Structures are given as structure tokens and as C-alpha cells.
Amino acid sequence: MAEDQNDELLNEDNSNQETITKVTGMYKDWFLDYASYVILERAVPAIEDGFKPVQRRIMHSMKDLDDGRYNKVANIVGHTMQYHPHGDASIADAMVQIGQKDLLIDTQGNWGNILTGDRAAAARYIEARLSKFALDVVYNPKITEWQASYDGRRKEPINLPVMFPLLLAQGGEGIAVGLSTKILPHNFIELIDASVKHLKGKRFTIYPDFPTAGIADISNYNDGMRGGKVRVRAKISQVDKNTLAITEIPFGTTTSSLIDSVLKANDKGKIKIKRIEDNTAAEVEILIHLPPGLSPDKTIDALYAFTACETSISPLGCVIENNKPFFVGVTEMLRRSTDNTVQLLKQELEIRLGEFEEQWHFASLERIFIENRIYRDIEEEETWEGVIKAIDKGLQPHIKHLKRAVTEEDIVRLTEIRIKRISKFDIDKAQQKIDALEDQIAEVKHHLANLIDYSIAYFERLKKDYGEGKERKTELRAFDDVDATKVVIRNTKLYVNREEGFVGTSLRRDEYVCDCSDIDDIIVFTQEGKMMVTKVDSKTFVGKNIIHVAVFKKKDKRTIYNMIYRDGKKGPSYVKRFAVTSITRDREYDMTNGNKGSVVWYFSANPNGEAEVVTVLLRQVGSIKKLKWDLDFADILIKGRSSKGNLVTKYSVKRIELKEKGVSTLKPRKIWFDDTVQRLNVDERGELIGEFRGEDRLLIITQSGNVKTIIPELTTHFDSDMIVLEKWIPKKPISAIYYDGEKERYYVKRFLIEQEGKEETFISSHSESQLEIVSTDWRPMAEVEFTKERGKDRKPNMEVNLEEFISVKGINALGNQLTKEKINQISLLDSLPYEAPEEVHADELDVVDEETVSVDLEVDKTEEKPEQPKDDSSTKSDENDEDLDVDDKGQVTLF
């Protein structure tokens, strides 16, 4: 650049000693050089071997020092500094990170703990050596390309010949100038299986596997590229009704950081715990003790929602290829690594073939030289040239079968053979050696001709030799999103000043409404028929003369509002029933017909769609004969919140009184179980369990022999060994066959659950006891296959009608012994037919579905001028007719 060429240093006279330096353009080159250096030489691993430069130099230094014994890490760090232009701290930290991954380095001493976050001991106290796996797959000097070290005194590898997808196995991350990389670790065995599939031309998929285990949702992994996301959760189980145990933690967290996040959430009131106990040693064990009466299932969801028990990881596949950053997914990364391994194996075979052929060539020359006594031809030669020519001439008749020409170097090697070796030369042994070399050459040529099969065998050998103990640690499972508003602890109180129209958490002198959380929304109705939903705050004005205020549940179709209002100052009165499922936050809605002077005569909020009976009293005006009658809200269909409603009367209302509380007019709720996320739902995902009314319960039976009934809450967590999940029918017996470990016999029992909501064990408590089969059918059948005794025919299988075999007894009864014979297997057969008592389905009940919109019924009971049934189902037009859904961040989305 012209400016760069014109850069100069201007020195003023010595009197003022001022110096002006033009740096135009200088910073551009320097910054670009610095950025390139950080990207290529420090932060981003190479795709060829999966190492960053410092890691590569550590591995090269360890190979230099390797003698099979442990070396002090400080010694290895010092040796690495001959190749690495930075200080010992960065080398030691990088080495500890490699050692903690437990793949390339065999460690000894305190190398820290990835679970607790404890640091490793000082480098002078800990030791290391290369693992057998590293020696097997990382090094081969014969196929390694070398370069001068930073000071030119030594040679270091450009890339190590790693014959394994090491980068994917270990993972890696780094922050450079202008870019970063985050490659997640994957499972050792799964990587080998994927490489074999690639070599066979089959499709494959690989997913992360974290050393801290935990549970991962990889539905949005995006092949490890930019824009992907992996959600990772701790493994939380319920020890008892007041204790939770965390046994695995999310990747990227430690027990210390996780505990801190739990305590912080407790301090903020998001969750409520009694105390937390950290028993982590070789394995994670964090015990969370809960206050009495707190739901463990909701607390588990709250831990996922408000603490580090759930984290989100954003992968970013960036590697160095040909000295340039290259963004690539893990699938392509594995393909390239596998193909690179094949080429390295090919190079290794070609070098081995060349070595065998050289050995065969010289062994053949040696045999010819000695067997034909050519060494005698040099006895009379006086010059070195004469000796070489004499040997060359003597060899010529015997070298036609050789695979290459004889060189002067070959002849020189022949002259170096000692007389003692010539005198003891055994022709048969020499031929055996040549034959063995020919077999080795043939074998290597076969491998080269079948390189893919050889590579597959190589990967399978790695799996066999090093795959033990490297099974998947992280459980892959789709997560069901946790609604924070449903699991947050009610950490504050809501108050209302009805006359002035204020609601908030700071109005402690006014009327208490309910407990709430600081992330809740609240819904408010006023005497004028206005409705508003707003965020909980210390003090908010929503409108004077408040008649109802409560915590608002978004998309709640089961809370039904019953309302009777007067339209305008002197207009008729209408009745309506509606639900509020979605709104625009802080927008005022009119629940009346919109005329000025409208007033609400009667209002009720019903969490399960209850329909009460009210008494309507009119004022004595004119010749009205009937001043009082009853109105049943069950006769009114549920419509949209903007509907006008049904006419009650056109006369003046004196007051409306509640006569009788109502029952639910909604259908029983249908509940499904989604096996993918192991959660209940009402969104028709998974298998339909049944239709549930308020008193109905779920029956749960586990393989460990536990049974319980629970209220079907959508926040319920289920044990991994659950084998039965269905709607509980109290009068239907449970049949089971189990093995009693103490008596060493099989027993049959049938029982009913007598204590609702209590978890009970129905097999004996002996450690060897185990449940064989369980059935909730009315008349189950089982088949018993006996063990064949030596020298005898196997006894025919026995069919058992469990209903006839034993009567229904208590859950703690031992049961009847099945048989004294040794049993090989027990299996369930098709149950006998039985006509179960018919259950009235929701479709046959005289109730209303949450989403039903139909024609209104006549409800005006006046005799003076009977009103005709009116259909006022049309809705009023607002500025925007559509319902709007408001997310937790206050953003409005068209619904």
C-alpha cells in the first residue's frame, strides 16, 4: 500500500526530543497476523489428528520420554517447552485436560475431579505415561511428516498419524479471534461402529456422550453444527417423599456450581428446600431434603426450570484443514477421519511391504552369495573396485528371479557378512526365512488389495481391545418442556384494593387474595364488565370496582366464568359462560356488549366448569307478575368470551342470589402417556390411558414389586422400571407370580389396593426376591415351563388359571405356592373372557366439552311477554378479533 510505503519516522531536533510514528496500516497487518496465529496455533484443533498444537507437542514429548514407566508431569512439561513457545502453565493445564478424558494418558496421583470441579495437584506431584491405546493409534514415525520446532533446534510432527476419530471421542472447544469451536464428546464404541458402517457404505448417526453422564435431548443437535442445541439434564430420583437424589450432573457443570444454583433459586423463592447435602466422591450423590407437604414431582420440574440441573449446550463444529478454518458437522468429520485412517493404514502397509521386500531381497542375495561360494572370487582382488566387480559378476547367473536390480549398496552389505556366519550358514533355515517373508509379503499385498476389509478389521480390533468399560454413559431422551409458571413456588402474596382498583404484592394493608410467584400473570374483572391480564407487580392499577382477581393460567380451558350483566344503563340483562384461554397482556377487554353504563349483576369463576343455580329477583315495576325465578347455568352453553350471551330479562333486576352450588359441566379429562418423554399429557400425544374425573386415579406397578395409585397430574415423574400404567379400577384385582428369595419358591397372589395414594411392596423383602409376571386383567392365565432334569424327559407345560388358583387376599399375604418343581420360565397367556362393568364414557354424558360452541337456549322465565330463543353467538368486533398468545418474555404472537 502507498500509505505503508510512505510510513516513516520523523525525528525533531534534539531540543524537544519529540517522535512521531505513523501506524497507518500497521495495526491491520499486525492484528491479522495475531488473529491467524491464535486460530491456527492455539485455539482450534486440526481435523487430521484432532489435536491443538499444544496437545500435539505434549503427546510428542511423552513419546520422546516413554520408557513404560511413569514420568513426573513437571518433567513432561519441561520437555514440551522445547517445542512449545509458551510457558509451563498453559502446557500443564492442557495436559490435565487430556488426562481427565481418560483415553490417551495413564494418570497417577490427584488429577482433579470433573464431577466436583476440584483442580489437579501441582505438576511436581502427579505422574503420567502414555496409555496402551495411545501407543497403538497415535504414533508411527515412519508415516509422520516433520517440521522444525519454533527455534529450529528440533523436529516436531506437523500432524500425528492418529488412526481413530479422536477429536469426536474427546471433544474440544476453544475461543479464537473472530471465531470459536465447540465439538462435543461422543461415545468410543459408537464412533467405531459408525466408522465401520461408513466403510461398508451404510448410513450412520452419532450423538454426544458426556463423561458426567446425565440425560440429553439431542432432537435439535443439527449434526453438531452452528444453530444446533443439546439440552442436558441431571438425573434426579425420588428417595422418599421428602428427599430427592441427584446422581448424575449435566455436562459443563460441577456439583459445586449445581449446588450453588439450587441455593440461589431457593433464596429467590423459585424453589423451596429444607437443606442440601453433598456426598459426592467417586460418584455423584447430592441429596435435597424437602419441607413436609411439598410435591417431589413439582420440585424436580422446578429444579430443571430454575437451576443448573438443566443446561443448554450450543455445539459449533470448527476445525483446521489445510491451514484454514473449516466449519463441518460431526457426520462429515467422522467420514473424513475414517477415510484418513484408511489412507494411513495404506501408507503403513506400503511401508511394511517395502521393508519385507527389502528383507526378502537381501536374504535371497545372501543365500546366493554363500551357497554359490561367490565370496571366494574376491580372494585375489587387490582393489575395492575389483572386489565389487567380482561379486557383481559372480551374482549375475543367479539373480534373474530377484524383484529388483542389484545395487552397489547391496554388494557392500554382502562384503560385511562375517566369516563365522558364512561357516555356520544353514541353507534350510535360510530358505525357511525366505518362505516366511514371502508369506508376509503375500499377506500385506492381500490387505492392500482388500484395504476396506482390512480397515474394518482394524476398527473391530480396537473395539475388542479397548471398548470394555466405554459403554454409553449419557441417556438420550426427548424432554418435555417444563412450564415455569406451573412449578414455581408461590413465594409472595397477592393483595387487592377493590374500590380503588389496585392489585399487587405490596398492598399489605388491603385484602389478601392468594399466594403467587413473581413470574405469574393475574386476571382481573371489574363491575363494569372489563377484563385485564397483567404481570404480577408490587402495585398495578387495573380499574376500579374489582369483582374478581386470581392467578391466570394460560390456555386454561377448564376454568369457566359464569356472568350475568346489564347491557347499558337501562338495557336488558344477559347471561353468558366463557373461558379465557389466551390474551394480550395489559390490554383491556369488555365482557359486556360494549354499551356505556353496563354493569355486572353476577359473576363466578369455576375451576372445573361448575354450573350453579341462582335466583333472579326483579324490581316491582308496572304489571310484572313474576318477580322471582331460578336460573340454572347448566342450561347455558359455553361460548367465546366475546359473545353477547342469552337474554335473561328485559326488565330491571333488583338482585341475583346464589341458590345452589353446581357440579362440573365439562367432560372428564382424557389423558395420554407419551413414552418418548415419559410424561402425561392432554395433547393426544402417545397412548390414551383413559378418561379421568376428579376422583379417578392412576395405577402404577414397577418391576421391583411396588404398587401405588396417584392423582394423574401432568407434572408426575415415572420410575424407569415401571411396567404397568393404567387407569385404576378399585374393584379389579391385581394378579402376580413372584419368586421368594428366602423360601426359594414361586408364589401366586391376588390382591386389591386398600390404601389410596400409598406406595406398597407386594413381594417379599428378601434381596433375591423378584417379580416374574403381573396382570391387571380380570381372569389372567399363565403358562409354566419346567426345567428339564438330567436323564428325564421335560415335564409338559402347566397352564394356570390365576382366578381359580387363589382367591383375592390382602396385599401383604404371602400367597399360594405355585409348584415344588424347578421352573425354567413363566409367561402370560391370553386372558379368559370377562364382561367388565361398563363405564359411562364422556361422549355419553350430558356435559359440555371445553371447546363446544353451540346455539344458546331460552332462559327468560317471565310470563308477561315470553321471549323467543335468541342466538347471540356472533362475537363483537375488536380492533383485532384474533386471540393473541403472550409468551413469558412479553412478546405477542398471533394465535
Side-chain angles (χ1 to χ4, degrees), residues 569-777:
K569 290 184 177 180
K570 297 183 179 180
S573 295
Y574 295 90
V575 60
K576 60 190 292 186
R577 301 185 71 205
F578 58 93
V580 179
T581 56
S582 57
I583 45 78
T584 300
R585 189 182 288 135
D586 295 325
R587 174 183 171 183
E588 187 178 76
Y589 293 85
D590 197 338
M591 297 294 102
T592 70
N593 203 28
N595 293 317
K596 188 176 181 180
S598 297
V599 65
V600 176
W601 294 121
Y602 178 86
F603 185 90
S604 67
N606 307 280
N608 202 32
E610 292 83 358
E612 64 269 33
V613 178
V614 296
T615 301
V616 179
L617 296 96
L618 302 183
R619 296 184 183 277
Q620 180 65 58
V621 178
S623 59
I624 302 177
K625 295 180 180 179
K626 189 170 184 179
L627 301 176
K628 177 181 177 182
W629 73 90
D630 293 339
L631 187 153
D632 191 347
F633 276 98
D635 296 333
I636 311 300
L637 295 183
I638 301 169
K639 294 187 177 183
R641 64 165 185 259
S642 298
S643 66
K644 182 178 180 180
N646 291 14
L647 180 65
V648 177
T649 179
K650 59 184 179 181
Y651 298 110
S652 177
V653 175
K654 183 178 181 181
R655 66 178 182 274
I656 297 177
E657 298 174 347
L658 174 65
K659 180 179 181 181
E660 180 182 329
K661 291 185 177 181
V663 296
S664 175
T665 57
L666 298 179
K667 291 182 179 180
R669 187 167 61 163
K670 292 183 178 181
I671 294 181
W672 285 260
F673 179 70
D674 188 345
D675 187 60
T676 304
V677 298
Q678 293 281 300
R679 299 298 287 266
L680 301 174
N681 69 88
V682 293
D683 305 320
E684 302 184 15
R685 290 184 283 107
E687 180 182 355
L688 177 64
I689 298 178
E691 301 166 347
F692 288 80
R693 300 171 178 83
E695 69 279 2
D696 291 336
R697 289 177 174 264
L698 277 174
L699 171 67
I700 301 174
I701 303 176
T702 66
Q703 185 62 55
S704 54
N706 294 327
V707 61
K708 63 180 177 180
T709 60
I710 63 169
I711 296 172
E713 296 183 358
L714 302 186
T715 56
T716 304
H717 287 254
F718 298 94
D719 296 330
S720 58
D721 66 339
M722 179 181 66
I723 54 177
V724 173
L725 176 65
E726 62 182 46
K727 184 178 178 181
W728 178 47
I729 301 176
K731 294 184 179 180
K732 186 165 72 167
I734 298 171
S735 306
I737 300 177
Y738 72 97
Y739 177 78
D740 187 283
E742 181 180 357
K743 300 182 181 299
E744 299 183 348
R745 291 284 187 273
Y746 288 90
Y747 288 87
V748 182
K749 64 187 300 182
R750 301 180 75 224
F751 59 91
L752 295 173
I753 296 177
E754 299 173 355
Q755 299 187 57
E756 297 181 14
K758 180 181 179 181
E759 183 172 0
E760 297 180 275
T761 302
F762 59 89
I763 65 175
S764 58
S765 58
H766 193 275
S767 60
E768 298 296 325
S769 298
Q770 60 182 12
L771 178 64
E772 289 296 323
I773 62 170
V774 65
S775 174
T776 56
D777 291 341

Side-chain angles (χ1 to χ4, degrees), residues 10 157 274 319 353 496 560 638 653 739 755 793-794 877:
L10 301 179
K274 188 176 180 181
V319 295
L353 177 61
V496 60
I560 305 301
I638 301 169
V653 175
Y739 177 78
Q755 299 187 57
D793 294 335
R794 187 191 299 271
S877 60

Side-chain angles (χ1 to χ4, degrees), residues 361-362 365 369 378 384 387-393 395-396 406-417:
H361 178 77
F362 187 74
L365 272 182
F369 181 71
I378 65 174
W384 179 250
V387 171
I388 298 298
K389 288 180 180 179
I391 295 174
D392 187 35
K393 183 178 179 182
L395 291 174
Q396 289 305 317
V406 179
T407 64
E408 185 175 342
E409 288 79 8
D410 296 332
I411 297 175
V412 172
R413 286 186 65 187
L414 290 175
T415 63
E416 295 172 353
I417 299 175

Side-chain angles (χ1 to χ4, degrees), residues 481-514:
D481 291 330
V482 177
D483 187 347
T485 60
K486 293 182 179 179
V487 297
V488 66
I489 298 297
R490 307 302 180 193
N491 56 358
T492 187
K493 298 182 184 297
L494 181 66
Y495 301 90
V496 60
N497 185 323
R498 296 183 183 272
E499 292 184 3
E500 298 298 324
F502 288 97
V503 294
T505 57
S506 63
L507 309 175
R508 295 195 175 107
R509 296 183 179 180
D510 294 307
E511 179 187 344
Y512 165 76
V513 179
C514 64

